[in-house]
Structure formats: structure tokens, C-alpha cells
Amino acid sequence: MSKKVLLTGDRPTGPLHIGHYFGSVQNRVAMQDDYDSYYMVADVQALTDNFNNPEKVRENVIEVAMDNMAAGLDPKKATLFIQSQIPQIAELTVFYSNLVTVNTLKRNPTVKAEIAEKSELFGREGESVTYGFLGYPVSQAADITFVRSEVVPVGEDQLPMIEQTREIVEKFHRIYNCSIFPLPQAKLSDSPRIMGLDGNAKMSKSLNNAIYLKDSPEETAEKIKTATTDSETTISYDPQRRPGISNLVLIYSLIHNKKPGDIVKDLQGVTYSAFKSRLASDLNAHLTPLRNKRHELESKPHYIKEILEMGREKALKKAEETMSLVRAAMKINY
Ligand code: TRP
């Protein structure tokens, strides 16, 4: 029996941090044996809100590819490619854009939150939201469907994108009287979301509160040492009331593959500072193989480019197969 198709990806806007790693990268690595896996570096999507900063996007294409490979994504098993190298995705985006109303896009909860964030930074909504940005869920539907993907491992914030994709697929089939695509399903990782080390709900580069996979052991230890906790003296796991310390317990539990509520029992009578050094040394030990692999990859930029080139060829083949079905269904196969 042939394997089900899986596709996922990252926007290349910065190196990956441990939130990405425990939340989604580990998940996709675990799934690569059982699925025909495609991993996409979403440079076109990154450009929707970084169009004026193409250098940043370009630099991070290789960074995120290396982070994923260092974490165990294996080019012998998964197809790694760059979004902009598959023009059929752009073509499919144009066709799908007829099937989605502007109001639906404005109501998309993830897009809505991002627009609110931007309006805060840049002023009035209408002046900061481009047509391309508003439409990125449509383009993401094209990402997912051009390989006719069935499974999409993502974080919770991406659920509206998968839902939008399902709506587009159903509408496409109904209007063009065909059945080309499987209905894609999200696959969420079951580990809770890691917060920023400053207590912010999100670990993110722009907030400067993240531990990167590529950080040195010293940087990692320093970041943990200065992470926000509270003025109590006992360690517990109570994310609502004690978010800072609970977040560190969560990271500790993920390293040791246990539930945070269970591992906290091992930390009774341990001081915050002793716990922080234990956490730093365990996290560094956990990440050592990955960091070694990353250093090795950094010394072979040509190898990464070759992998992405092979991935491009394979993804292009699949894209042409899909597009010939799509063009026939839409009666534009002249
Ligand atoms: N939107 C995703 C993110 O911000 C990245 C992405 C682009 C993606 N295309 C995708 C994820 C297709 C899954 C499937 O992280």
C-alpha cells in the first residue's frame, strides 16, 4: 500500500527555537517514516509580511532547513524544498482565490490576530494589510494541496488554515465536478505550548525571549538563569497562577519525556537556582547531538543546496501531475 502524503512547513523569518522543536519539529521527524513527507520552506509566505526585507527571508531559508535536518528530518525519507521554486503553487493560488470571499479571510482568527498586531505596530488597519497578506491562507491551501496532502502536522494556531483549505477543496470539487484532493487533516502535537522566558505567552524572536536550537550551551544557560519566575520558594506546575516557573517545569518535562505534573514531584525541596542549573545542563545535553549535527551541516552549505534541489525536482513532478488534473477540471487544458 502506498503511504499517505504529508506536508508541513515553516516561514523562514528566523532560526527555530525550542518552542518550534518540542511543538512541531519533533512531531514531523517522528512521522517521516510512516508518510510520504514533504517539508516546505515557506519563503513566499514569509514575504507576505516581509516583502521589504528579502535579505532576511533569504538568509533564513537555509537556517530553517538546517535546523530541521539537525533535528532529524532526513532527506532520504522526506522531500525538502523551497516554496518559491514551485510556480504551480502560485498558479493554484490564483485559481483558489476565486473560491474565497474577502469577508471569510478577514474573519480568519489567525489572520485577524496578526492584523491586530500589525495595526498596533504600524497604525491603521487598512494601511498595513496588503492584498497578499490577507490572502495567505489561500496560498497555504495551495501549498497543502499541490502534493494532494492528506495530513498536515501543525501547531494550534494553524487550525484555521487547515479549515480554510478543507473549504476550498470541497468548493473546488463541487464547482468543477471532480474529486482530485483528499480532505486534509491537521495533526496537532500533544505537548503544551512553551511560553517566552519573560513570561510572555509566545516564545518569539521579536520579543527576544527564546532559546534557539543553534544557541551555544553558555547562551542557553544564561537565558535560563535570567528567566522570569516568581518570589515563591517551592516548585510547582500551575501554569495559570505561576506561569514562569511552570514554563521551566514544562521544558524540563519535555526533555525527560514525562508529564509536567509528574516530574514536579522530583523537584520538591529543590531551590529555583539549583533547578535552573539542572534544567540548563539537561537541555544542553539533550540538544548536543542536534547542535553537533548543525555544526556539521553549517560546514557543508553545498550539501543543503543539493538536498533542496533534489526536493525541488520531486515536488515539481508532483505539482505537474496535480495541475494537469486541475486544468482539465477547470477546462483550461488547451
Ligand atoms: N503558516 C505556517 C507557519 O506560520 C507555515 C506554512 C506555510 C505551512 N505553508 C504551510 C504549514 C503549509 C503547514 C502547511 O508556521
Side-chain angles (χ1 to χ4, degrees):
M1 229 182 71
S2 67
K3 292 179 177 171
K4 285 188 186 173
V5 178
L6 171 159
L7 181 136
T8 193
D10 297 307
R11 291 185 192 187
T13 51
L16 301 186
H17 53 62
I18 59 168
H20 297 120
Y21 172 71
F22 288 113
S24 53
V25 178
Q26 272 194 333
N27 206 18
R28 63 178 70 139
V29 170
M31 294 174 86
Q32 66 184 342
D33 290 317
D34 301 326
Y35 293 85
D36 180 12
S37 294
Y38 289 81
Y39 169 73
M40 183 178 81
V41 185
D43 61 340
V44 176
Q45 188 175 112
L47 285 164
T48 60
D49 61 350
N50 291 280
F51 58 86
N52 51 1
N53 204 349
E55 293 81 14
K56 169 174 147 189
V57 174
R58 186 183 174 105
E59 278 164 23
N60 284 302
V61 166
I62 302 296
E63 291 288 314
V64 300
M66 286 197 298
D67 278 332
N68 274 279
M69 286 168 67
L73 202 69
D74 179 352
K76 289 197 203 74
K77 298 176 181 165
T79 304
L80 288 82
F81 68 96
I82 304 172
Q83 184 183 12
S84 62
Q85 301 219 299
I86 313 297
Q88 290 86 345
I89 296 177
E91 184 183 1
L92 202 50
T93 303
V94 172
F95 300 154
Y96 287 168
S97 66
N98 295 325
L99 308 180
V100 183
T101 65
V102 172
N103 278 339
T104 305
L105 291 170
K106 285 187 175 163
R107 281 197 303 264
N108 180 304
T110 303
V111 172
K112 225 169 141 173
E114 285 167 318
I115 288 178
E117 233 171 83
K118 276 184 211 299
S119 316
E120 244 170 65
L121 288 174
F122 305 116
R124 288 196 303 132
E125 189 173 296
E127 276 153 44
S128 56
V129 181
T130 63
Y131 166 61
F133 182 78
L134 186 66
Y136 92 74
V138 182
S139 154
Q140 190 158 333
D143 299 341
I144 293 169
T145 54
F146 91 94
V147 290
R148 281 165 281 149
S149 174
E150 213 169 327
V151 179
V152 189
V154 281
E156 213 160 5
D157 63 317
Q158 296 295 303
L159 290 178
M161 306 303 158
I162 315 297
E163 192 46 43
Q164 178 66 80
T165 305
R166 293 165 66 93
E167 280 169 28
I168 290 174
V169 164
E170 285 178 327
K171 199 159 173 189
F172 190 96
H173 287 164
R174 187 155 28 86
I175 291 176
Y176 300 113
N177 193 26
C178 59
S179 174
I180 297 173
F181 308 105
L183 257 195
Q185 281 194 336
K187 175 83 176 74
L188 291 176
S189 112
D190 43 18
S191 65
R193 190 191 187 74
I194 297 181
M195 300 190 324
L197 296 174
D198 58 353
N200 193 291
K202 224 166 135 181
M203 186 170 262
S204 101
K205 185 170 176 118
S206 52
L207 299 168
N208 194 22
N209 63 5
I211 297 173
Y212 296 99
L213 297 178
K214 65 182 230 175
D215 279 348
S216 69
E218 295 73 25
E219 284 166 322
T220 303
E222 186 55 30
K223 286 178 179 182
I224 291 176
K225 201 168 159 188
T226 54
T228 305
T229 52
D230 52 41
S231 55
E232 296 186 40
T233 48
T234 56
I235 297 177
S236 68
Y237 185 67
D238 184 356
Q240 293 303 319
R241 206 175 60 78
R242 305 181 62 193
I245 189 71
S246 300
N247 191 44
L248 298 182
V249 172
L250 171 63
I251 298 170
Y252 189 68
S253 74
L254 290 166
I255 300 168
H256 294 287
N257 217 349
K258 288 197 178 158
K259 297 234 177 314
D262 290 340
I263 206 152
V264 83
K265 293 182 196 118
D266 305 343
L267 299 168
Q268 294 319 299
V270 180
T271 63
Y272 280 7
S273 77
F275 171 53
K276 282 181 163 182
S277 13
R278 197 192 290 184
L279 174 61
S281 80
D282 289 2
L283 181 60
N284 282 330
H286 184 82
L287 293 177
T288 295
L290 184 158
R291 286 168 172 163
N292 290 343
K293 179 88 203 267
R294 204 182 193 286
H295 287 139
E296 186 194 317
L297 292 168
E298 281 161 13
S299 69
K300 306 193 288 194
H302 286 293
Y303 172 67
I304 317 280
K305 293 211 171 114
E306 264 167 45
I307 297 299
L308 291 168
E309 175 55 27
M310 276 164 42
R312 179 177 85 100
E313 283 165 22
K314 179 153 177 232
L316 274 176
K317 253 196 216 142
K318 193 89 181 180
E320 259 320 302
E321 261 172 49
T322 302
M323 291 317 292
S324 56
L325 298 170
V326 164
R327 291 186 202 113
M330 294 180 69
K331 309 210 180 300
I332 51 174
N333 53 340
Y334 306 108

